[in-house]
Amino acid sequence: MTGPVVLASNRFSGGSGGRVSRWRRAAMSAAIIAVAAACGPAPAPAVDNSTTVTTAPTTRTPRIVDDSGRPDVTFDPCLDLPDDVMTEAGYDAAHKEFADMPMGWYTFLGCTYRDRTLIPGVRRGYGLNILAGNVSIDEELEKNGSVATAASINGRRALLEVDPNNRDTCTYVLQTEFGIAIFSRIYHKDHPGPVPQNEWCTGFEDFVSTLEPYI
């Protein structure tokens, strides 16, 4: 597998084609809206009348796992990003959509959001796709190195990907303990003609920086 590939799903692209890694294409094109529920809290330890009772912390089993031997994806873009944070940033958390891809040899958990803020003559808002997967940032760099530059988000290793063939789209890929988290924003214009490439990523680094602590 060499080089980026064509993205198949319009929901996860800028509507103008473009190239992404094979696993991202699979995760995005096979996105399924589903409802996921958190697991209940772990049982409390037995009570010893001679000691103080301590309640075990609540844990959540990842809603998708695979048999690849790769780490479990422990960050869930739809469940671990607070709705109030997303709403304050302009994204409609009430209508977020789950989008998952278990592949056996890797897994992606996905979530899509939409910012419908209209600025007449400028833009109709943004589409935001967030994926968390158990592939490494070096694997991502091998696939998309031609459109990636090294970056850092709050001191975390990252990649900035801007593909001229995937118009109006800006992507940050962050390294995580389990693999990577991908933040991809699509600029929905409200004017004829192209969006200048230097505007595709405007303000996006700051936005991703506000979400990084939740990974």
Side-chain angles (χ1 to χ4, degrees):
M1 296 182 293
T2 59
V5 296
V6 177
L7 183 62
S9 170
N10 287 335
R11 190 205 308 176
F12 289 89
S13 71
S16 57
R19 301 177 297 173
V20 293
S21 59
R22 178 182 174 185
W23 48 69
R24 205 184 313 168
R25 181 182 72 170
M28 291 176 174
S29 63
I32 300 172
I33 301 172
V35 177
C39 294
V47 177
D48 182 342
N49 290 333
S50 64
T51 61
T52 302
V53 177
T54 302
T55 302
T58 299
T59 59
R60 184 181 67 237
T61 301
R63 52 192 170 90
I64 300 290
V65 296
D66 59 51
D67 56 5
S68 67
R70 293 173 181 265
D72 289 342
V73 180
T74 54
F75 168 65
D76 191 316
C78 269
L79 299 180
D80 292 332
L81 295 177
D83 286 351
D84 59 343
V85 172
M86 298 303 294
T87 299
E88 184 176 354
Y91 292 90
D92 185 2
H95 293 91
K96 61 188 175 184
E97 298 178 353
F98 291 79
D100 307 327
M101 191 58 186
M103 288 295 292
W105 57 94
Y106 60 80
T107 291
F108 272 94
L109 302 182
C111 197
T112 66
Y113 295 85
R114 182 69 184 270
D115 176 348
R116 303 181 187 279
T117 304
L118 172 64
I119 302 178
V122 179
R123 66 174 181 267
R124 295 177 287 108
Y126 297 110
L128 177 66
N129 308 312
I130 306 174
L131 291 170
N134 55 0
V135 300
S136 73
I137 196 168
D138 289 326
E139 288 176 293
E140 172 70 15
L141 184 59
E142 181 181 357
K143 299 298 184 297
N144 277 350
S146 63
V147 297
T149 56
S152 177
I153 299 294
N154 297 337
R156 186 190 294 261
R157 183 186 175 191
L159 301 173
L160 170 62
E161 297 180 0
V162 180
D163 186 348
N165 295 308
N166 193 17
R167 292 199 306 269
D168 307 340
T169 300
C170 182
T171 300
Y172 276 95
V173 181
L174 278 58
Q175 185 175 42
T176 70
E177 291 184 356
F178 56 80
I180 58 175
I182 302 171
F183 297 82
S184 186
R185 189 186 71 178
I186 305 167
Y187 186 120
H188 297 296
K189 64 182 182 179
D190 189 50
H191 58 79
V195 176
Q197 186 171 321
N198 62 5
E199 294 181 11
W200 295 0
C201 294
T202 300
F204 196 43
E205 180 179 353
D206 290 341
F207 171 72
V208 174
S209 295
T210 66
L211 300 185
E212 181 275 334
Y214 297 101
I215 301 174

